[in-house]
Amino acid sequence: MADHHSSVTWSHQFEDAGQQHEAASLGMWVFLATEVMFFGGLFCGYTIYRNQYVAGFVAGSHELNAVIGAINTAVLICSSLSMALAVRAAQLGKRISLVSCLIVTILLGLTFIFVKLYLEWWHDYQHGFAPALNFTFAGPNTRSVELFFCFYFLMTGVHALHMIVGVGVLSVLTVKAWKGRYGPDHFNSVEIAGLYWHFIDIIWIFLFPLLYLIGGRY
Amino acid sequence: MATAPVEIDTRVHYLNVSYGIKSWLLTTDHKRIAILYMVAITFFFLVGGVAATLMRIHLIEPNGAIFEPGTYNKLFSTHGIVMVFFFLIPSIPAVLGNFLVPMMVGARDVAFPKLNLLSWYIFMAGGLLVLYSVIWGGVDTGWTFYTPLSTTYLNSNVLSAAIGVFVAGFSSILTGLNFVVTIHKMRAPGMTWFRMPLFLWSIYATSVIQILGTPILAITLALVAVERVFHVGIFDPAVGGDPILFQHMFWFYSHPAVYIMILPSMGVVSELIACFSKKRIFGYSFVAFSSIAIAVISFLVWGHHMFLSGQSVYAGIIFSALSFAVAIPSAIKVFNWTATLYKGSISYDAPMLYALGFIGLFTMGGLTGLFLATLAEDTHLHDTYFVIAHFHYIMVGGAVMGYLGGIHYWWPKITGRLYNDAWARLAAAIVFIGFNLTFFPQYMLGYLGMPRRYAIYSPEFQVLNVMSSAGASILAVGYAIPLVYLIWSMRYGPEAGPNPWGAKGLEWQTPSPPPTENFEQIPIVTEEAYAYGAKEVQVG
Ligand code: HEM
Ligand SMILES: [Cu+2]
């Protein structure tokens, strides 16, 4: 039960705030393990077909704009930095810098999503690369190029969904941070949201070379 | 009615602390959530059971007694999907696990009570979606959803069913996550890993599988859904995709999933054997680690479902060898239970009857698994009734028996009341007889070559099929009886007291039914599990 002599509180099932903190972090790590497996299924399928249809996958990859992909990678890495700074700010109890770091992270995340959906997906769609909708690739290996684009849309799509969830979570945190809910004794939520955010970034760090940089283009 | 016991009614406990539908649907008490799950899965068991009954009636005649072949396909699919994903997978973890894990570790609740409630709602949402699919349009792919039957050549409502299973998967993940964190972080002072009851070890191993396996099922079904909606996808041969990849991904989850179904039962049996022989479990740490070993190896044997799919022969050989390996930890458990019985002061209460039934039936199921894991033999037995008999010996003879044994064992704790022991023993015996009569003939049918998943069969198989159908009706009676006396006991049963079996374990040290926070004070553990010393042996 909450101890009345300090501002630190914890839920009734825990013995103290330390236990709650440990449980919450472990919970997030376990959740991330499930995410690894979830993406792992896609990565595994990708690897198999990538080896089976080398030419088609390379041809498909060359249709992507690696410069935009690289810019987006940089955007995400910066967002990870601001997220890390946000956690630090929460631990030090600096409300304003916590709020600003969170807002910067959100803006970078939104930038990524905008670039992904508008500059890339929309562009790909207009050029006839959307499997099932308008796929019209002229050239050898049409079928495996289409398979490549199936993976491309699935993997980046699932990743983008995670980004959108992340932005939602960070928005809630920002409002709470503004109200001064976090401080040296309770930065738990910020910390585990940070874990999640870094995780999505890492997924992208793997997606980028797999999708954009194969086939010795550079 | 007669002299109603008063203690239960005067004391405040988790059942009477608040009343009304809302107090149940919004509860975060792990014990109440366990009961929500119990009601839900009992319902799904009935749904799956009705489908099974209809199938067995149909199969009394070689040409099929009632249904069109298409309808028959929908029946076995409904049966499989509902029983696997909505009864057996949640059965022990979500009901007994939810009720017991916090109490056994000596905590007030699971680590994340709200997530726990959320998992129930997710489960119900998935379940209702599946019910919708099987009623409107039906599903005819079997519980395995193989592509391209479930995508390109589909003629039933697989999409919503797959989404339903996908959704329910998340409830399974959340349950596993909650237990892992609870067991790691919320053990009472003195409750070291090696003082934990073996039930916790097996729930822990199960949770690991749920956490690591279920996401693969999720992504696989999501890919099927995408393929179904957009008519293009990574399993689609039209773009060079490979349907066999679906099988690999499906079984990568679904083989470990069979251990999600059996491991918790093994945990229950360890508790029962120790309590009703009033002895320490023989080789505690072997039994504990065999659970972990099973969890690990179970991820490496999925290819034994695909010996005839055209996968590489060398892969087949390795999968075969690894499947033999997974039998070792299972056998270790059986040997240790048997050794525990040796010179124990055994009492044959109803839960113990289920436990003993479990040992025998699980052993038969496991041994026939080895038949199937033998490459050459599987060529003959694959997709026959032999496989059906194999997994029903394990899943029904094993897992369901364990669940029933557990329910009978902890019922006095859950409700505070005792059920009628004579009826309970009778029901256990009927279940055992009915089960064997139903499924033993199926071993013979499969061995003689009757394929599974057909609505009609050659006339020479009729006698054995009729035996099986007759057994099924006995089994149904065996399942119905507990429903009656258990519900009866909730009102009229005599008061159980905190520890009617003279059992060890923290859950027995608190009143029955327990208070909302389980213990008045967080207990301090000073001895190992199953410290049934000589002086505790109770006579009479
Ligand atoms: C001793 C360890 C086990 C071994 C070696 C083993 C082996 C096998 C093999 C080789 C098959 C494939 C047969 C075929 O399709 O031709 C199979 C099928 C099956 N086994 Fe087991 N098994 C074991 C334990 C279990 C357990 C513990 C369960 C469930 C709790 C289980 C449930 C199933 C199911 C459901 C199928 C059929 C799936 C389907 O095709 O619908 N098995 N087993
Ligand atoms: Cu298997």
Side-chain angles (χ1 to χ4, degrees):
Chain A
M1 284 277 116
D3 177 9
H4 294 287
H5 301 293
S6 90
S7 66
V8 186
T9 57
W10 55 89
S11 309
H12 78 103
Q13 71 272 26
F14 295 110
E15 283 294 278
D16 54 42
Q19 192 185 30
Q20 166 154 323
H21 182 107
E22 285 183 22
S25 327
L26 180 63
M28 186 39 108
W29 280 108
V30 172
F31 174 72
L32 294 183
T34 72
E35 290 278 27
V36 168
M37 296 308 283
F38 188 80
F39 280 98
L42 281 172
F43 280 111
C44 164
Y46 175 90
T47 312
I48 290 168
Y49 291 126
R50 157 94 174 81
N51 287 317
Q52 206 166 341
Y53 306 113
V54 177
F57 271 51
V58 169
S61 168
H62 285 186
E63 299 298 332
L64 301 179
N65 188 335
V67 176
I68 297 192
I71 293 176
N72 240 355
T73 310
V75 168
L76 267 198
I77 293 178
C78 292
S79 82
S80 253
L81 175 65
S82 62
M83 186 69 229
L85 292 175
V87 176
R88 188 78 195 127
Q91 286 168 343
L92 297 175
K94 295 185 178 163
R95 187 172 70 107
I96 298 299
S97 81
L98 169 60
V99 171
S100 11
C101 285
L102 285 175
I103 289 178
V104 170
T105 314
I106 292 173
L107 289 179
L108 288 170
L110 288 175
T111 310
F112 177 93
I113 295 169
F114 171 79
V115 170
K116 181 87 251 162
L117 296 190
Y118 187 69
L119 296 186
E120 295 199 85
W121 275 30
W122 180 237
H123 175 271
D124 298 331
Y125 174 73
Q126 283 177 324
H127 287 75
F129 286 122
L133 299 181
N134 67 354
F135 195 79
T136 45
F137 179 79
N141 305 313
T142 318
R143 289 185 349 156
S144 37
V145 173
E146 184 169 9
L147 190 60
F148 172 83
F149 273 96
C150 284
F151 273 106
Y152 168 74
F153 280 104
L154 279 169
M155 294 169 101
T156 56
V158 174
H159 178 261
L161 261 181
H162 280 78
M163 294 285 301
I164 292 171
V165 171
V167 167
V169 170
L170 293 188
S171 310
V172 175
L173 289 190
T174 312
V175 174
K176 288 192 171 175
W178 179 252
K179 293 182 183 158
R181 296 277 175 79
Y182 305 117
D185 290 327
H186 28 82
F187 51 88
N188 227 344
S189 323
V190 185
E191 193 181 76
I192 64 175
L195 281 177
Y196 175 79
W197 190 263
H198 298 314
F199 172 80
I200 342 178
D201 287 3
I202 291 174
I203 292 288
W204 178 257
I205 301 292
F206 282 94
L207 284 180
F208 174 60
L210 280 183
L211 294 173
Y212 291 78
L213 301 182
I214 58 177
R217 181 151 56 142
Y218 300 97
Chain B
M1 274 304 288
T3 51
V6 284
E7 197 272 339
I8 299 183
D9 300 328
T10 49
R11 186 170 51 81
V12 177
H13 49 72
Y14 82 102
L15 288 172
N16 66 8
V17 62
S18 54
Y19 291 99
I21 283 284
K22 230 176 104 187
S23 78
W24 282 86
L25 292 182
L26 297 180
T27 182
T28 52
D29 180 348
H30 65 102
K31 299 182 286 304
R32 286 190 162 208
I33 294 173
I35 291 184
L36 290 179
Y37 265 114
M38 190 195 290
V39 174
I41 70 164
T42 306
F43 168 72
F44 285 115
F45 186 71
L46 288 178
V47 174
V50 167
T53 312
L54 293 176
M55 276 150 67
R56 277 321 323 167
I57 297 175
H58 177 80
L59 290 176
I60 288 177
E61 289 190 9
N63 285 325
I66 331 180
F67 302 107
E68 296 288 306
T71 315
Y72 181 81
N73 292 351
K74 289 177 180 171
L75 281 176
F76 74 66
S77 306
T78 306
H79 171 69
I81 295 170
V82 169
M83 285 301 199
V84 168
F85 296 112
F86 296 94
F87 173 70
L88 214 44
I89 287 184
S91 62
I92 296 184
V95 178
L96 294 174
N98 253 329
F99 196 91
L100 293 166
V101 167
M103 267 195 262
M104 284 185 165
V105 299
R108 298 187 192 92
D109 207 320
V110 292
F112 310 114
K114 285 183 197 144
L115 276 188
N116 203 11
L117 179 64
L118 179 66
S119 85
W120 184 76
Y121 279 100
I122 295 177
F123 175 74
M124 292 309 284
L128 295 179
L129 210 54
V130 163
L131 282 186
Y132 155 82
S133 337
V134 301
I135 294 173
W136 278 275
V139 181
D140 65 359
T141 59
W143 74 286
T144 47
F145 298 115
Y146 273 14
T147 57
L149 179 60
S150 57
T151 51
T152 317
Y153 301 108
L154 183 70
N155 42 31
S156 60
N157 200 355
V158 164
L159 182 63
S160 56
I163 297 177
V165 173
F166 173 88
V167 169
F170 288 97
S171 89
S172 186
I173 292 176
L174 290 181
T175 304
L177 186 151
N178 236 326
F179 290 164
V180 164
V181 176
T182 306
I183 293 175
H184 267 282
K185 296 294 174 194
M186 304 191 59
R187 279 170 288 126
M191 178 59 91
T192 59
W193 282 87
F194 290 96
R195 282 179 182 167
M196 291 196 321
L198 289 164
F199 181 74
L200 289 181
W201 279 93
S202 56
I203 285 286
Y204 185 85
T206 310
S207 303
V208 170
I209 303 179
Q210 286 176 300
I211 288 166
L212 296 181
T214 319
I216 300 285
L217 177 74
I219 186 68
T220 311
L221 291 177
L223 290 170
V224 168
V226 167
E227 189 159 331
R228 182 67 202 136
V229 174
F230 294 109
H231 299 285
V232 50
I234 74 164
F235 306 127
D236 184 0
V239 291
D242 190 350
I244 300 292
L245 179 63
F246 171 85
Q247 295 187 22
H248 278 293
M249 291 175 69
F250 180 81
W251 289 115
F252 184 84
Y253 164 75
S254 290
H255 181 81
V258 306
Y259 285 99
I260 297 180
M261 304 180 232
I262 197 71
L263 272 170
S265 260
M266 294 170 156
V268 168
V269 169
S270 297
E271 300 300 313
L272 300 184
I273 296 284
C275 172
F276 292 101
S277 336
K278 290 289 174 288
K279 263 184 77 186
R280 234 163 260 238
I281 278 283
F282 182 83
Y284 170 97
S285 54
F286 280 89
V287 182
F289 280 118
S290 65
S291 294
I292 307 296
I294 287 177
V296 173
I297 304 177
S298 76
F299 276 104
L300 306 175
V301 302
W302 76 90
H304 66 210
H305 296 272
M306 301 169 58
F307 286 150
L308 301 188
S309 69
Q311 75 180 356
S312 117
V313 182
Y314 300 104
I317 293 172
I318 291 175
F319 280 127
S320 170
L322 286 167
S323 306
F324 289 134
V326 81
I328 297 172
S330 313
I332 288 180
K333 287 188 193 278
V334 172
F335 291 139
N336 283 288
W337 292 323
T338 320
T340 308
L341 293 173
Y342 180 67
K343 289 196 171 164
S345 50
I346 300 177
S347 47
Y348 294 96
D349 295 284
M352 185 61 161
L353 294 185
Y354 284 107
L356 295 175
F358 175 101
I359 296 182
L361 300 180
F362 169 74
T363 304
M364 278 196 61
L367 287 178
T368 51
L370 295 178
F371 292 27
L372 294 168
T374 313
L375 273 173
E377 215 168 339
D378 189 56
T379 313
H380 177 57
L381 296 174
H382 177 63
D383 263 349
T384 68
Y385 264 79
F386 194 91
V387 176
I388 307 281
H390 153 65
F391 67 74
H392 281 87
Y393 262 77
I394 299 185
M395 309 211 306
V396 182
V400 178
M401 283 274 209
Y403 174 68
L404 288 176
I407 290 286
H408 281 83
Y409 181 55
W410 282 291
W411 188 260
K413 181 55 60 182
I414 296 173
T415 63
R417 310 260 181 178
L418 295 172
Y419 49 83
N420 183 306
D421 192 51
W423 277 104
R425 291 190 216 196
L426 180 69
I430 295 179
V431 166
F432 186 81
I433 295 168
F435 173 82
N436 281 296
L437 191 55
T438 311
F439 290 104
F440 197 82
Q442 298 189 3
Y443 276 130
M444 297 154 84
L445 283 168
Y447 193 77
L448 296 173
M450 178 171 158
R452 64 190 284 202
R453 293 187 171 170
Y454 281 86
I456 53 173
Y457 54 86
S458 333
E460 74 258 29
F461 295 137
Q462 190 173 10
V463 174
L464 289 169
N465 269 294
V466 170
M467 279 170 71
S468 179
S469 296
S473 54
I474 299 178
L475 188 55
V477 172
Y479 287 145
I481 299 174
L483 216 53
V484 178
Y485 64 74
L486 287 180
I487 292 177
W488 186 89
S489 78
M490 292 197 306
R491 197 176 173 109
Y492 305 115
E495 201 162 335
N499 190 359
W501 313 114
K504 295 286 175 181
L506 294 181
E507 79 271 26
W508 300 108
Q509 293 176 16
T510 179
S512 318
T516 299
E517 299 219 317
N518 297 341
F519 304 98
E520 259 133 54
Q521 258 171 353
I522 290 298
I524 295 176
V525 182
T526 53
E527 57 183 14
E528 59 192 270
Y530 318 116
Y532 291 104
K535 61 178 184 308
E536 272 97 359
V537 175
Q538 287 170 358
V539 187

